[in-house]
């Protein structure tokens, strides 16, 4: 019986040594079987150093109890006297419940841990073959395998080996096990063994010398006929041997199983023959193999059976592996396969998936393998099946930056160590990080995290996963930061061929042209060239994050040619990281923004100013434009100045939109598409209004000085009046005038018409600046009516002749330029027309519906897909706007919130007034925002307006990137557009047509 004082003291010591259940530990230590060990502080210290002291103590008790009584002193004496053995045994018992079970079943196997006491002894295949030599059947093979595994685990948990060595030892043990299994299979069927030659080719982690504790061992079987044997019979015999080998390793006995042998990487997978001849393998790979099969062959290694045949297989397939990168769509295929792996992870496992999830082991492996296959065509130093060795070779060759490689290496080792310790616990094949507190504590402690194991483990895991994800995206989806840069001093510069191969594999469609641009930018000994050499590797990465990296690089060369001698330009890009990244995004996202920039390259300074991407308000713009007009010598120079301001501000707006849509390291992607649409619409509207104000001032000054004989106002309608202009929109307007006191009405009309004609001429003069087209076709009587009317003429027309469509068009009427008081009186004039008292009559509603139906059948361009036309197609802008406008005309007289020119504001007001349900309002709003963004994207990408998705693949991909879709997901983008607009059309038919 233990004294109370001693019990209290022991309890405290156990807590201090990391036991979570000191009471149970005390009871175990009090057992008679542990009497020789009781009270030994060395033992307690050793238990406290394990991953789970409670588990280690329970395992020790089971092991001691399993010993024959006469042999227990040998175990306890060795345990107390030999520190290396003590650390290894208790380390294994504290990390692996499964190996503790093995020791309890085979109590003499603890002596295997005495055998490998030399710290520098790392056995190879031959050593493991000796350990398995006495195995004669599946059961004895499993026992011998676990005995060898026990020694590997002991070295692992005690730190005698690092994670890569442990993985290599596990692969060597697997090699020896496959040889032993084949030996047992051949002994069971000697006639089969005599008829054939069979080679076992290891694939995957076993082939790469980086196996897990518990993993499928991937293999391919190659067979040939022995001398004098029919080939068909020989292949049948080889298939029986291979099948028996697989059963020996995979089947579960009283000793459990070793691991599954998986031959599904063979040609045709599980549907193909298990064993093929070498010539059959080659025929398949040359004619039918997919990209992923060559990626898998990168790790192929002969491990068992006929060594000569295995070597011949590797020699034959190796050239095919290193030519795989020349296959059409090679890089997209590899990237698509990686995305498919992530997409297939169950939703509940993504955050815990250590191997396949984002930031997991597979991210490192895929990035390294892609780069190996790309660059290994011309660099044999990269031909390694081992991930960390290949990563080191990539860094040494300059294909990956040294800092990036070091971070990846560190993260990969940590994640593999986590994977090893998770699997070691129960020797189960899993890659999920456990959720239980006790499991996480044991895992953290096994990795040396002792202060707060759970918190430290989660922090380190997330940190390494974030590093892997970031670098995976940089290396796997973007060019290498050092792809075409000069290597470190003393190293050989990349040959043009090698550099071209890198650029081609990383998304550049014309590597030869890209190399010419790089040479032009970075050659020479000038300071400019030196700075360019520093900038280019980083810029190349950002360019390739777009759908058209070639365009980005070409644009950068043009800007640099124009500004390269300007002192502030390169200094801005070098010293302001945001400016360089912003420039790369803008130059490679499409044609519009680069075209605007190249017409005045000094606007690049906007990208480095923290306030530079914020749009300027209407008052600020108008003030600047009118000041520029006032300084000009004539109307042409005046409007040229105004159009120059417009060009610069269009670039500012487009750049801000692109950067918010793509996101950068400093500025994540804008989360609210509606906010982006509103910002662009407001900015372009204000800009065009200010430009029209400048053109009006220039036209008036040219003939009349400071005062026109008639008061004059420009009324915006359509998207202009709705503050919803896109990059390619015309400015829909109405012109209204009112003769000044004492001025003849005919004279005033002539003056007003001359002003309109001059404004339109000036705004469309052929210059380097984009034109601003003014469209007055929504005026009374359309194209047949006078271009400009007096306020009284509008009043008379609307009172007597106005049609319902004209009242509808006036819903978005708002003064934009000229005499503000006159503009406001125009609005007061049309308010009763657009918001009729008591709403619309049934006949007017039917007329609006007839007009809409007619427009749907007549105005959609021939051959256009009605499900993809953003303006006139199903659920597009027209459907949403006509629905909202009908609500405005029916209820605007009673609901003040509906009296707005802005579609989204009117829709929100209709919802607030209970005229439309929440789901319906959200559906219409989502479709309107998406359709507007598609039109903006097309203009940004193509440099010309369009209402449907481009057909050219790179342009379509660029639209997808703008809309937030990752590379390779354009099909998903189109499907989403159809789904969203289909739902909007259903809502429209119910609300507008009453269907």
């Amino acid at each position: 019986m233990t004294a109370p004082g001693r019990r209290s003291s022991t309890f405290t010591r156990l807590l201090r040594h990391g036991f979570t259940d000191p009471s149970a530990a005390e009871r175990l230590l009090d057992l008679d079987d542990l009497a020789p060990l009781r009270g030994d502080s060395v033992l307690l210290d050793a238990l406290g150093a394990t991953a789970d002291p409670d588990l280690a103590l329970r395992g020790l008790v089971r092991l001691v109890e399993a010993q024959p009584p006469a042999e227990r002193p040998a175990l306890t004496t060795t345990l107390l006297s030999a520190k290396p053995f003590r650390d290894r045994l208790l380390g294994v018992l504290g990390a692996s419940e499964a190996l503790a079970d093995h020791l309890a079943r085979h109590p003499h196997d603890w002596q295997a841990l005495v055998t490998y006491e030399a710290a520098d002894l790392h056995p190879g295949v031959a050593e493991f073959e000796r350990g398995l030599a006495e195995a004669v059947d599946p059961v004895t093979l499993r026992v011998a395998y676990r005995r060898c595994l026990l020694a590997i685990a002991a070295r692992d948990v005690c730190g005698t080996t690092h994670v890569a060595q442990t993985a290599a030892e596990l692969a060597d043990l697997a090699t020896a096990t496959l040889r032993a299994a084949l030996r047992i299979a051949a002994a069971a069927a000697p006639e089969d063994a005599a008829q054939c030659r069979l080679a076992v080719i290891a694939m995957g982690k076993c082939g790469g010398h980086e196996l897990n504790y518990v993993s499928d061992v991937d293999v391919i079987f190659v067979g040939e006929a022995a001398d004098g044997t029919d080939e068909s019979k020989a292949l049948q015999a080889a298939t029986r041997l291979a099948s028996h080998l697989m059963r020996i390793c995979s089947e579960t006995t009283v000793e459990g199983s070793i691991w599954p042998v998986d031959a599904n990487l063979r040609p045709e997978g599980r549907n193909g023959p298990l064993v093929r001849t070498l010539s059959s393998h080659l025929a398949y790979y040359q004619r039918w193999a997919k990209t992923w099969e060559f990626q898998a062959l990168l790790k192929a290694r002969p491990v068992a059976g006929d060594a000569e045949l295995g070597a011949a297989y590797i020699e034959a397939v190796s050239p095919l592996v290193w030519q795989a990168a020349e296959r059409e769509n090679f890089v997209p295929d590899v990237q698509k396969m990686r995305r498919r792996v992530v997409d297939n992870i169950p939703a509940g496992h993504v955050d815990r998936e250590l191997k396949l999830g984002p930031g997991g082991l597979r991210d490192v492996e895929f990035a390294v393998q892609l780069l190996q296959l790309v660059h290994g065509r011309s660099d044999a130093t990269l031909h390694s099946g081992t991930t960390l060795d290949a990563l080191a070779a990539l860094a040494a060759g300059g294909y990956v930056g040294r800092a990036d490689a070091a971070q990846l290496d560190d993260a990969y080792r940590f994640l593999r160590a986590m994977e090893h310790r998770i699997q070691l616990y129960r020797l189960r094949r899993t890659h999920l990080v456990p959720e239980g507190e006790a499991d996480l504590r044991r895992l953290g402690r096994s990795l040396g995290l002792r202060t707060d194991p759970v918190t430290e483990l989660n922090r380190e895991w997330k940190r390494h996963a974030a590093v892997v994800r970031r670098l995976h995206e940089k290396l796997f989806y973007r060019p290498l930061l050092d792809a075409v840069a000069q290597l470190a001093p003393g190293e050989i510069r990349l040959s043009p061929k090698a550099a071209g191969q890198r650029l081609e594999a990383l998304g550049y469609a014309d590597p030869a042209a890209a190399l010419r641009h790089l040479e032009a930018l970075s050659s020479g000994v000038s300071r400019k060239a030196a700075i360019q050499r520093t900038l280019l590797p980083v810029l190349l990465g950002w360019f390739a994050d777009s759908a058209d990296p070639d365009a980005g690089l070409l644009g950068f060369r043009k800007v640099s040619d124009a500004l390269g001698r300007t002192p502030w330009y390169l200094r801005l890009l070098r010293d302001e990281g945001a400016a360089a990244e912003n420039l790369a995004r803008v130059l490679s996202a499409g044609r519009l923004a680069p075209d605007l920039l190249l017409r005045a390259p000094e606007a690049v300074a906007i990208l480095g100013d923290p306030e530079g991407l914020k749009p300027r308000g209407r008052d600020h713009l108008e003030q600047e434009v009118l000041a520029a007009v006032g300084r000009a010598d004539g109307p042409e120079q005046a409007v040229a100045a105004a159009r120059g301001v417009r060009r610069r501000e269009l670039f500012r707006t487009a750049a801000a939109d692109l950067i918010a849509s793509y996101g950068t390291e400093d500025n994540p992607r804008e989360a609210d598409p509606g906010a982006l649409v509103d910002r662009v619409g407001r900015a372009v509207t204000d800009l065009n209004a200010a430009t029209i104000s400048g053109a009006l001032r220039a036209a008036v000054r040219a003939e009349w000085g400071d005062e026109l004989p008639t008061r004059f106002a420009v009324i915006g309608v359509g998207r202009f009046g709705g503050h919803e202009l896109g990059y390619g929109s015309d400015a829909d307007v109405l012109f209204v005038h009112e003769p000044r006191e004492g001025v003849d009405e005919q004279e005033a009309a002539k003056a007003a018409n001359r002003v309109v004609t001059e404004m339109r001429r000036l705004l469309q003069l052929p210059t380097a600046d984009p034109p601003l087209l003014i469209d007055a076709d929504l005026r009374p009587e359309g194209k047949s009516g006078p271009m400009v009317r007096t306020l009284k003429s509008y009043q008379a027309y609307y009172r007597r002749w106005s049609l319902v469509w004209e009242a509808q068009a006036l819903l978005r009427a708002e003064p934009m330029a000229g005499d503000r008081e006159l503009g406001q009186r125009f609005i007061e004039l049309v308010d009763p027309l657009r918001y009729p008292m008591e709403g619309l009559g049934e006949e007017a509603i039917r007329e609006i519906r007839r007009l809409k139906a007619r427009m749907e059948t007549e105005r959609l361009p021939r051959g256009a897909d009605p499900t993809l036309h953003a303006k006139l197609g199903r659920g597009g802008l027209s459907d949403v706007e006509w629905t909202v406008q009908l609500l405005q005309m029916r209820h605007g007289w009673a609901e003040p919130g509906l009296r707005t020119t802005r579609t989204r504001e009117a829709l929100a007001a209709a919802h607030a007034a209970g005229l439309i349900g929440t789901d319906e309002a959200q559906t219409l709003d989502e479709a309107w925002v998406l359709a507007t963004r598609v039109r903006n994207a097309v203009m940004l990408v193509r440099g010309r307006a369009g209402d449907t998705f481009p057909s050219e693949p790179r342009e379509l991909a660029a639209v997808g990137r703008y809309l937030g879709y990752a590379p390779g997901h354009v099909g998903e983008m189109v499907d989403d557009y159809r789904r969203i607009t289909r739902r909007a059309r259903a809502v429209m038919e119910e609300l507008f047509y009453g269907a």
Side-chain angles (χ1 to χ4, degrees):
M1 192 80 176
T2 306
R6 177 177 172 272
R7 177 175 296 277
S8 174
S9 172
T10 304
F11 189 95
T12 302
R13 290 174 63 205
L14 291 170
L15 274 177
R16 191 168 63 249
H17 280 85
F19 286 85
T20 58
D21 190 353
S23 298
E26 278 189 290
R27 289 193 295 273
L28 291 175
L29 288 168
D30 280 344
L31 293 174
D32 291 339
D33 289 332
L34 292 191
L37 306 175
R38 191 180 300 132
D40 191 286
S41 61
V42 171
L43 176 65
L44 207 55
D45 289 342
L47 286 167
T50 64
D52 187 340
D54 302 85
L55 182 66
L57 180 57
R58 290 196 299 271
L60 178 61
V61 169
R62 293 176 63 201
L63 176 59
V64 172
E65 289 177 340
Q67 301 296 315
E71 298 179 18
R72 289 178 188 172
L75 171 60
T76 55
T77 300
T78 308
L79 190 66
L80 291 175
S81 61
K83 184 181 187 308
F85 167 73
R86 180 171 63 248
D87 291 343
R88 291 184 178 202
L89 175 62
L90 297 181
V92 168
L93 294 175
S96 179
E97 188 174 71
L99 289 178
D101 291 343
H102 173 83
L103 285 170
R105 287 195 306 272
H106 303 280
H108 293 101
D109 277 4
W110 64 266
Q111 295 175 17
L113 300 182
V114 181
T115 308
Y116 302 124
E117 285 193 3
D120 60 347
L121 178 58
H122 302 300
V125 176
E127 184 72 27
F128 288 126
E129 282 191 285
R130 285 192 289 274
L132 304 178
E134 296 181 3
V136 294
D137 55 42
V139 174
T140 55
L141 181 60
R142 282 161 177 68
V143 174
Y145 174 84
R146 289 290 176 91
R147 187 182 305 120
C148 294
L149 192 66
L150 185 66
I152 294 175
R155 288 189 291 277
D156 178 18
V157 298
C158 292
T160 304
T161 56
H162 57 67
V163 66
Q165 289 173 317
T166 300
E169 287 189 16
L170 290 167
D172 285 342
L173 176 56
T175 297
T177 305
L178 289 169
R179 293 177 182 178
L182 183 57
R183 169 173 51 81
I184 294 171
E191 65 285 357
D192 285 341
Q195 290 181 336
C196 66
R197 299 166 61 203
L198 178 65
V200 183
I201 310 298
M203 307 285 283
K205 288 194 180 328
C206 184
H209 242 87
E210 50 189 15
L211 197 61
N212 301 329
Y213 276 103
V214 186
S215 175
D216 290 357
V217 171
D218 297 304
V219 300
I220 285 176
F221 295 107
V222 187
E224 297 287 353
D227 291 340
T229 305
D230 175 74
E231 184 177 284
S232 175
K233 290 183 177 180
L235 286 178
Q236 291 173 12
T239 299
R240 288 191 292 270
L241 283 177
S243 299
H244 194 183
L245 177 153
M246 294 174 70
R247 289 195 303 274
I248 290 170
C249 296
S250 305
E251 288 180 351
T252 301
T253 70
V254 291
E255 293 292 337
S257 66
I258 301 176
W259 18 248
V261 176
D262 187 341
N264 288 336
L265 292 179
R266 67 186 184 269
E268 299 180 78
R270 65 185 61 194
N271 297 319
L274 183 63
V275 182
R276 287 177 183 258
T277 62
L278 177 55
S279 60
S280 176
H281 275 96
L282 285 177
Y284 173 84
Y285 289 129
Q286 288 166 346
R287 297 185 61 188
W288 309 111
K290 297 181 175 63
T291 297
W292 70 263
E293 293 178 277
F294 294 107
Q295 185 178 355
L297 283 170
L298 192 151
K299 293 181 178 292
R301 177 172 65 94
V303 290
D306 191 298
E308 184 180 345
L309 178 58
Y313 175 88
I314 297 301
E315 184 179 357
V317 302
S318 184
L320 302 178
V321 172
W322 301 111
Q323 294 165 9
E326 298 169 8
R327 294 164 62 92
E328 186 176 358
N329 296 321
F330 165 73
V331 173
D333 284 350
V334 177
Q335 294 170 341
K336 190 184 300 180
M337 186 168 69
R338 173 59 188 136
R339 287 192 295 269
R340 192 181 303 125
V341 169
V342 175
D343 292 342
N344 288 335
I345 301 172
H349 290 175
V350 171
D351 292 337
R352 297 169 50 219
E353 177 56 74
L354 195 65
K355 176 182 178 181
L356 303 178
L361 292 161
R362 190 57 60 85
D363 273 352
V364 181
E365 293 161 356
F366 262 65
V368 169
Q369 289 165 24
L370 173 63
L371 298 178
Q372 283 183 273
L373 290 169
V374 168
H375 307 306
R377 291 176 289 178
S378 56
D379 189 345
T381 65
L382 305 181
H383 295 189
S384 172
T386 305
T387 300
L388 291 179
D389 290 348
L391 179 59
L394 287 165
Y399 304 95
V400 178
R402 282 183 168 80
D404 289 348
Q407 285 186 293
L408 269 185
D409 183 280
D410 187 39
Y412 187 74
R413 289 175 188 273
F414 182 85
L415 296 175
R416 284 302 305 274
M418 278 186 71
E419 180 186 47
H420 279 183
R421 303 303 165 78
I422 291 169
Q423 294 183 348
L424 180 59
Y425 177 48
R426 285 183 175 153
L427 290 181
R428 290 180 182 170
R429 183 177 180 269
T430 178
H431 310 285
L432 291 179
V433 177
E435 296 179 293
E437 183 81 11
D439 290 328
L440 289 171
R441 181 176 183 273
R442 180 183 60 256
L443 180 57
R445 283 175 59 91
S446 76
L447 297 171
L449 307 173
R450 297 302 173 93
T451 304
D452 186 354
V454 177
T455 301
E456 291 177 73
L457 174 68
N458 282 319
R459 183 176 62 244
E460 287 299 294
W461 171 33
K462 297 303 181 187
R463 179 176 70 84
H464 285 296
V467 167
V468 168
R469 192 61 187 162
R470 176 176 61 82
L471 294 176
H472 167 80
E473 290 178 349
K474 184 166 78 174
L475 300 178
F476 197 59
Y477 293 108
R478 310 175 185 177
L480 317 175
L481 292 188
D482 294 327
V484 192
Q486 187 171 347
L487 303 183
E491 295 179 324
I492 302 172
R493 189 184 174 105
L494 291 174
S495 69
K497 180 180 178 182
Q501 287 175 343
R502 296 186 188 194
L503 288 167
E504 179 185 4
L506 296 163
Y508 287 82
D510 189 349
L515 282 173
R516 288 195 298 272
H517 299 324
L518 292 169
E519 186 66 26
L521 286 164
S522 60
S523 61
V525 295
S526 67
R527 182 168 179 78
K528 170 189 171 184
I531 295 176
Q532 294 280 30
R533 284 194 291 271
T534 302
L535 289 170
L536 279 169
V538 182
L539 288 167
L540 284 169
W542 289 322
F543 291 148
D545 191 32
S546 72
D548 195 351
D550 301 78
L553 181 56
L554 174 60
F556 180 69
R557 180 180 176 183
K558 290 179 177 178
V559 173
S560 294
D561 286 346
L563 293 177
R565 296 186 182 278
T566 306
W568 57 265
Y569 167 64
L570 290 175
R571 186 167 62 245
L572 171 76
L573 298 184
R574 183 194 62 198
D575 299 338
E576 297 290 341
E581 185 172 5
N582 290 343
L583 177 61
R585 299 293 183 217
V586 167
L587 290 175
S588 55
R591 296 180 183 176
L592 178 65
D595 286 349
L596 293 169
L597 177 60
L598 290 170
R599 288 167 184 165
E602 64 276 2
V604 76
I606 288 172
L607 303 176
D609 181 355
E611 300 294 313
L613 295 175
K614 292 184 178 179
R616 303 299 187 250
R618 171 88 66 86
D619 292 342
H620 177 99
L621 290 169
E622 195 165 303
Q623 185 178 9
E624 182 181 2
V625 167
L626 293 179
V629 168
R631 291 190 298 268
D633 292 334
E636 286 82 2
Q637 291 83 357
V639 174
R643 288 173 66 180
V645 173
R646 179 172 180 266
R647 177 200 60 237
R648 183 198 69 209
E649 294 304 318
L650 269 179
F651 172 73
R652 187 194 309 275
T653 303
D657 187 18
L658 288 167
I659 291 163
S661 298
Y662 272 69
T664 65
E665 191 169 337
D666 295 329
N667 298 291
R669 177 181 174 82
E670 172 72 56
D672 182 3
L676 279 172
V677 164
D678 291 344
R679 196 178 310 152
V680 170
R682 188 166 53 247
V684 178
T685 299
D686 287 347
L687 176 56
N688 285 354
T691 307
I692 289 173
S693 292
L696 175 59
R697 175 71 61 87
V700 170
R701 284 184 66 209
E703 188 170 347
W704 295 280
D706 291 332
E707 188 170 287
L708 190 65
T710 185
R711 302 173 72 184
F712 187 92
V714 181
I715 309 298
V717 289
R719 297 192 184 286
F720 190 23
H723 294 254
E724 298 162 350
L725 287 179
Y727 299 108
S729 301
D730 296 345
D732 292 311
V733 299
L734 301 174
F735 297 112
V736 59
H737 79 105
E738 186 176 69
R740 296 188 186 278
E741 189 174 349
V743 176
D744 178 73
E745 211 168 287
Q746 192 171 4
E747 179 189 345
K750 287 181 180 179
N753 275 289
R754 285 205 301 273
V755 166
V756 170
T757 302
E758 180 68 357
M759 283 175 60
R760 299 181 79 185
R761 181 186 74 85
L762 292 171
L763 288 171
Q764 296 178 49
L765 283 173
T767 69
D769 296 317
L772 173 55
L773 301 179
I774 292 179
D775 187 342
D777 290 351
L778 292 177
R779 65 188 183 271
E781 301 176 80
K783 294 180 181 180
S784 303
M787 184 66 70
V788 59
R789 290 175 181 261
T790 63
L791 190 62
K792 287 182 180 180
S793 175
Y794 276 109
Q795 185 177 26
Y797 176 85
Y798 287 139
R799 185 174 63 248
R800 297 182 61 189
W801 309 109
S802 176
L803 300 175
V804 68
W805 74 263
E806 293 177 299
Q808 184 181 354
L810 290 169
L811 282 168
R812 292 197 281 190
E814 182 173 306
M816 289 294 170
D819 191 299
R820 294 188 180 183
E821 193 269 340
L822 177 62
Q824 186 55 43
R825 284 198 285 130
F826 179 89
I827 296 303
E828 292 169 1
L829 167 68
V830 301
D831 269 352
L833 194 68
R834 57 185 181 176
Y835 309 124
M837 187 62 67
E838 303 300 331
L840 290 175
E842 287 302 316
E843 178 57 35
I845 293 174
R846 282 194 293 272
E847 177 62 17
I848 289 176
R849 288 171 175 166
R850 278 197 297 270
L851 286 170
K852 178 69 169 73
R854 179 178 163 190
M855 185 178 72
E856 290 176 8
T857 58
E858 295 180 0
R859 291 185 59 191
L860 191 71
R862 181 176 297 178
D865 184 343
T867 68
L868 292 177
H869 198 279
K871 182 178 180 181
L872 302 174
R874 180 193 70 187
L877 296 173
S878 175
D879 277 0
V880 177
E881 289 166 0
W882 281 61
T883 302
V884 172
Q885 288 162 13
L886 182 59
L887 290 171
Q888 287 181 281
M889 297 183 76
R890 295 182 69 179
H891 304 285
W893 65 277
E895 295 292 340
L898 289 173
R899 297 172 211 160
T900 174
T901 64
R902 294 159 172 81
T903 301
R904 297 188 72 212
E905 285 186 8
L907 182 58
H911 172 245
L915 302 174
I916 181 173
T918 300
D919 290 344
E920 289 83 357
Q922 289 176 346
T923 296
L924 292 180
D925 185 74
E926 184 182 17
W928 189 89
V929 167
L930 178 57
T932 302
R933 294 205 75 210
V934 168
R935 296 180 89 207
N936 282 343
V938 170
M939 184 66 186
L940 285 167
V941 169
R942 303 181 71 191
R944 61 182 187 274
D947 291 314
T948 191
F949 291 95
S951 57
E952 200 280 320
R954 278 187 178 260
E955 292 179 345
L956 184 61
V959 169
R961 297 303 303 278
Y962 173 83
L963 295 177
Y965 290 85
H969 287 259
V970 292
E972 181 183 333
M973 170 184 67
V974 173
D975 290 344
D976 286 348
Y977 181 87
R978 285 193 168 113
R979 173 179 53 80
I980 291 167
T981 53
R982 182 176 64 249
R983 290 169 51 209
R985 177 67 184 192
V987 172
M988 177 266 187
E989 288 179 346
E990 179 181 349
L991 295 176
F992 184 82
Y993 288 119

